[in-house]
Amino acid sequence: MSIDLLAFHETYYFREIEQRGSLPATVAYAQELASQAQRSESPELRFAGRMLHASLDALAEVLRGKFGHSGTTSSDVFDSYELHHRHLRRGEPDTN
């Protein structure tokens, strides 16, 4: 995804209405999967979790550097990304 955003900046500006198909709305779930995998007893899952975390950190750097999202951690950057694309997390009221 990082490479796509760098090569095709315009993809950042497309907004998916359905949350299940939206990167900004689901990236926090990917982070949770990576964290769970890293806590696994399986060496393969731990490796996959580390690789996923590294990829997500690279995505956060692209979002921070190219698209101006703030945050000191990847999670903070993804929260900013999600907010910018106006996706609400489950249980949050719609104020618009």
Side-chain angles (χ1 to χ4, degrees):
M1 187 65 209
S2 299
I3 293 170
D4 288 341
L5 284 173
L6 288 171
F8 307 102
H9 296 170
E10 64 274 7
T11 60
Y12 171 83
Y13 299 100
F14 287 94
R15 182 172 173 251
E16 178 62 44
I17 301 299
E18 294 292 323
Q19 284 192 346
R20 70 184 192 146
S22 170
L23 180 63
T26 58
V27 72
Y29 179 63
Q31 280 191 305
E32 179 57 31
L33 289 177
S35 294
Q36 287 181 18
Q38 286 182 297
R39 292 189 301 268
S40 172
E41 291 183 16
S42 164
E44 292 87 3
L45 278 178
R46 285 194 307 271
F47 176 75
R50 287 192 307 273
M51 294 303 294
L52 181 54
H53 259 297
S55 295
L56 291 170
D57 287 344
L59 174 59
E61 282 302 313
V62 169
L63 292 170
R64 187 182 294 117
K66 280 287 193 191
F67 299 100
H69 289 284
S70 60
T72 56
T73 66
S74 294
S75 292
D76 292 341
V77 172
F78 296 143
D79 287 344
S80 172
Y81 183 36
E82 184 178 21
L83 181 63
H84 183 260
H85 283 262
R86 301 181 195 271
H87 283 289
L88 298 172
R89 292 198 179 150
R90 210 174 292 184
E92 291 181 1
D94 185 357
T95 57
N96 291 330

